[in-house]
Amino acid sequence: QITLLHGSHRVGKRSDAAMEKWRGYGLGQFIHWGLYAIPGGAWNGKQYNGAAEWIRSWNGIPKSTYDSLNYSFNPTAFDAKAWAKTARQMGAKYVTFTTKHHDGFCLWPSKYTKYTVKNSPYKKDIVKAVVDAYDQEGIDVILYFSVMDWNHPDWRYDLKTKEDSIAFERFKKFTRNQLIELLTNYPTVKGLWFDGTWDKSWVKQAAFADELETEMRKLRPGLIIGSRFRADENGKRHFDSNGVLMGDYEQGWERKIPAKIEDVHGNDWDCVMTVPENQWGYNAAWNGHIKTGNELIEMTARCVSMGGNFVLNFGPKGDGSIRQEEIKLATEIGDWMKINQEAIYNCEYAGYEKQDWGYFTKKSGTDKIYMVVFNVPVSAALRIKTPPKTIIKKAYLLADTQEVFSPEEISGDEYFLHLKKREQSKPFVIVLETAKAEKGNGTKYEKAKI
Ligand SMILES: C[C@@H]1N[C@@H](C(=O)NCc2ccccc2)[C@H](O)[C@@H]1O
C-alpha cells in the first residue's frame, strides 16, 4: 500500500442514488458532433484514413483552414428534439454529448474563448438545446469534455520549458473555468465524460486535477466522473498506484468489451462503441465493417451481463441531421428493447456460469434471472449451471409468458431447458424465477470424487 495524496479517494462502488441510477441505465447514446462533421472524413476530395473527428491532425490540412470552419458552421437541419426522440426510440437511458472535442470548438457560448458556436453563423447554444431536449424525453445527460484543446494557444503536450509551464498554468485556469461554466449553465447534467487526458502535460497535474475534481463534486453533489479524468502523483491513470479505480467507474472500455467478468474487477464501467470500426464524428464514407442491429443488441446484452452499460455512438452530419443508417439501427435496437428491455434495465451480473447460447442478467435486488439467447444449439437444449443452493421455480419466454419451460435437472445445479424448434432471427429472452434453496435441500446427485 503506497501512501498517495492524489490517488483514488474511494474503494469499492459508490452506493448513492445517483450512481445506482447510472448503474441501471444498461443502454446509452453517445453523440459526437462538431466542426469535423462538415468535412465528414474527406478534404478536397481526398479521403482521410483516420477517425473523422481527428481530421484536423491530418497533415493534408492546413490547421488554420480547419480552424476557420467555425465560420461555415450553420446546421440548418439541427433539431435536438428529433435527436432525443431517436434516442428514446432506441431505448437509451442516457446520452453523452460532446461539448468540446480535441479541436477546441465549443458547442456552447463559453465566456472563456472566442472559438465557440456564438461566433458561427448558427450562434445559438447547442449544448442547452440538447440538454433541454433530452431532459424532456427523460433521458439523463452526461457532458463529454476534451481536456486536450488543439485550438487553444496555451495547450501543451508536455512541459519542457519554463514558457511551457507558464502557458499551461493559463490553460489549467481556462479548463477549470470552462468546467465550472458547464456545470453552472447546465445544472441538470448527471456527469462529465473526460477525454484527451493522456498527454504528459495533463498527467503531471495530479494535485490540480484532484482539487478540480473535488471542486466539481462539491458544486454538483452526485456528479458522476469516470476514471479517465485524472492521474495520481505517480502518473498512474484509470487505476492508481495501489491498483484502486480512479473516479466512479472504469472508462477504459473504448471500442472494446471485457472478455470475462474477472476483467471488470468488481467495478462499475461503461463501454463506448462506434458503428463502423473507428469513426466517432460523421464520416460520409463508412468503410470496413459496419455493425448490424443484432451485433449491437448482443454487445448491449454482453455488457449488462458483466455489470456494465453499453453506449452506442451517433455522428450527426454537418447540417445537424442524423444519417439514415443510424436511424435504422436505433429503430431496430429499439424494437427489440420494447419487447426485452426488462432483461437490460436495472440489471446486473447474475453470477451464473457463462454458456455458449448467450448471456445471463439479473434484475438488481431480486432473484429474477434473464437468459438472453443468441445461439440456440443444434440440440435445442439450453444448459444452465446455477450458483449453489439455487432453485428454479419457473421458466418462461419473456415475450410470451404462456410459453413455459420445465427445466430438466441433469445433475447438481445443472439443468437443460428444451426449446421447441423455432425460426430465430432475433435474440429472445427466457425468464427464470429462482429462490435460495432452504437448508438441506441439496441436490439429488453426489459430486464425483476426483
Ligand atoms: C471517445 C473517443 N476518444 C477519442 C480518442 O482520441 N480516442 C483515441 C484514443 C483512445 C485512448 C487513448 C488515446 C487515444 C475519439 O476521438 C472519441 O472522442
Side-chain angles (χ1 to χ4, degrees):
Q1 194 71 355
I2 301 163
T3 305
L4 289 171
L5 290 177
H6 306 298
S8 175
H9 299 307
R10 192 198 68 256
V11 178
K13 291 181 173 178
R14 268 178 52 175
S15 55
D16 59 289
M19 198 68 204
E20 292 283 347
K21 189 178 181 195
W22 185 94
R23 190 171 289 136
Y25 285 149
L27 178 61
Q29 178 189 45
F30 214 138
I31 295 183
H32 275 74
W33 197 42
L35 299 182
Y36 41 79
I38 298 172
W43 196 273
N44 290 341
K46 199 156 173 289
Q47 190 63 35
Y48 167 56
N49 295 325
E53 71 285 355
W54 275 67
I55 195 166
R56 183 184 186 278
S57 67
W58 181 31
N59 294 333
I61 297 181
K63 307 291 178 238
S64 54
T65 310
Y66 177 93
D67 289 347
S68 306
L69 283 173
N70 65 314
Y71 299 118
S72 340
F73 187 68
N74 190 17
T76 49
F78 170 58
D79 177 354
K81 289 189 169 65
W83 288 9
K85 284 201 179 351
T86 300
R88 179 75 176 270
Q89 155 65 33
M90 179 168 89
K93 287 291 184 186
Y94 67 130
V95 63
T96 302
F97 180 65
T98 49
T99 60
K100 178 177 88 169
H101 202 260
H102 308 332
D103 64 3
F105 183 65
C106 301
L107 293 180
W108 82 100
S110 175
K111 295 198 301 269
Y112 301 100
T113 171
K114 290 191 170 22
Y115 201 43
T116 83
V117 64
K118 195 172 175 188
N119 301 315
S120 77
Y122 187 73
K123 295 198 184 321
K124 289 175 285 185
D125 185 344
I126 285 171
V127 172
K128 177 166 175 40
V130 169
V131 169
D132 290 350
Y134 279 78
D135 281 356
Q136 274 160 21
E137 285 291 340
I139 300 173
D140 285 349
V141 179
I142 291 195
L143 297 181
Y144 167 108
F145 182 89
S146 174
V147 172
M148 177 168 71
D149 181 329
W150 295 329
N151 179 268
H152 197 288
D154 292 332
W155 166 255
R156 295 290 184 279
Y157 288 96
D158 196 359
L159 309 176
K160 292 206 166 37
T161 66
K162 186 152 180 46
E163 191 282 334
D164 284 344
S165 297
I166 292 167
F168 208 69
E169 284 310 303
R170 290 193 296 266
F171 185 80
K172 285 156 63 176
K173 283 189 182 61
F174 160 73
T175 297
R176 177 199 166 275
N177 287 339
Q178 285 206 314
L179 289 169
I180 300 302
E181 182 179 49
L182 284 170
L183 293 177
T184 306
N185 290 4
Y186 316 107
T188 61
V189 301
K190 303 297 181 290
L192 295 169
W193 204 97
F194 287 98
D195 204 4
T197 56
W198 48 78
D199 288 303
K200 289 197 182 102
S201 53
W202 183 257
V203 169
K204 287 172 179 171
Q205 307 305 325
F208 172 79
D210 190 9
E211 205 177 306
L212 177 53
E213 182 174 315
T214 301
E215 181 184 10
M216 291 190 287
R217 290 181 186 281
K218 197 153 169 276
L219 178 59
R220 281 281 167 272
L223 191 70
I224 294 168
I225 296 174
S227 60
R228 200 180 286 192
F229 177 53
R230 66 184 179 90
D232 76 6
E233 54 263 50
N234 301 317
K236 291 285 184 191
R237 299 183 62 235
H238 293 286
F239 294 88
D240 70 14
S241 306
N242 292 315
V244 182
L245 181 71
M246 301 286 272
D248 303 320
Y249 65 96
E250 191 186 350
Q251 213 185 333
W253 302 103
E254 178 173 321
R255 297 190 300 115
K256 58 188 182 193
I257 296 178
K260 55 191 184 314
I261 187 65
E262 291 76 15
D263 297 345
V264 306
H265 308 291
N267 295 314
D268 284 309
W269 58 280
D270 72 3
C271 160
V272 292
M273 186 59 74
T274 50
V275 175
E277 188 46 35
N278 184 15
Q279 295 293 334
W280 298 89
Y282 174 69
N283 190 322
W286 262 7
N287 296 323
H289 178 68
I290 305 301
K291 297 176 189 74
T292 64
N294 277 340
E295 253 183 285
L296 295 166
I297 292 166
E298 175 156 10
M299 290 182 172
T300 303
R302 198 152 122 221
C303 288
V304 173
S305 77
M306 290 186 280
N309 293 327
F310 183 68
V311 184
L312 180 60
N313 183 69
F314 288 62
K317 299 180 184 175
D319 70 357
S321 64
I322 295 181
R323 69 197 302 159
Q324 277 315 306
E325 300 95 324
E326 290 176 352
I327 299 287
K328 190 166 167 294
L329 285 172
T331 306
E332 192 179 338
I333 294 164
D335 288 348
W336 186 84
M337 285 293 283
K338 281 189 184 66
I339 298 167
N340 301 288
Q341 64 188 41
E342 190 182 317
I344 300 296
Y345 296 148
N346 298 310
C347 286
E348 62 187 51
Y349 170 59
Y352 281 50
E353 188 174 283
K354 175 77 178 67
Q355 301 290 345
D356 292 341
W357 46 256
Y359 308 91
F360 288 104
T361 66
K362 182 165 83 97
K363 186 64 70 183
S364 298
T366 76
D367 287 323
K368 205 164 189 184
I369 301 296
Y370 302 94
M371 300 167 62
V372 194
V373 182
F374 290 85
N375 316 302
V376 174
V378 287
S379 63
L382 303 182
R383 184 184 293 274
I384 303 169
K385 184 132 175 46
T386 62
K389 304 252 183 286
T390 302
I391 292 176
I392 299 176
K393 297 192 308 184
K394 278 172 81 178
Y396 52 88
L397 203 59
L398 177 60
D400 170 8
T401 54
Q402 302 311 309
E403 185 162 341
V404 177
F405 303 92
S406 310
E408 175 203 353
E409 186 165 349
I410 319 167
S411 69
D413 305 334
E414 208 148 11
Y415 303 83
F416 270 138
L417 287 194
H418 295 283
L419 302 180
K420 288 181 219 145
K421 288 286 179 203
R422 58 187 306 123
E423 151 52 18
Q424 185 205 337
S425 64
K426 297 303 284 180
F428 58 92
V429 175
I430 291 172
V431 184
L432 302 180
E433 292 189 5
T434 72
K436 297 275 180 293
E438 299 305 314
K439 245 201 312 311
N441 296 34
T443 56
K444 271 193 286 189
Y445 303 88
E446 283 309 309
K447 291 223 181 305
K449 293 196 178 31
I450 49 177

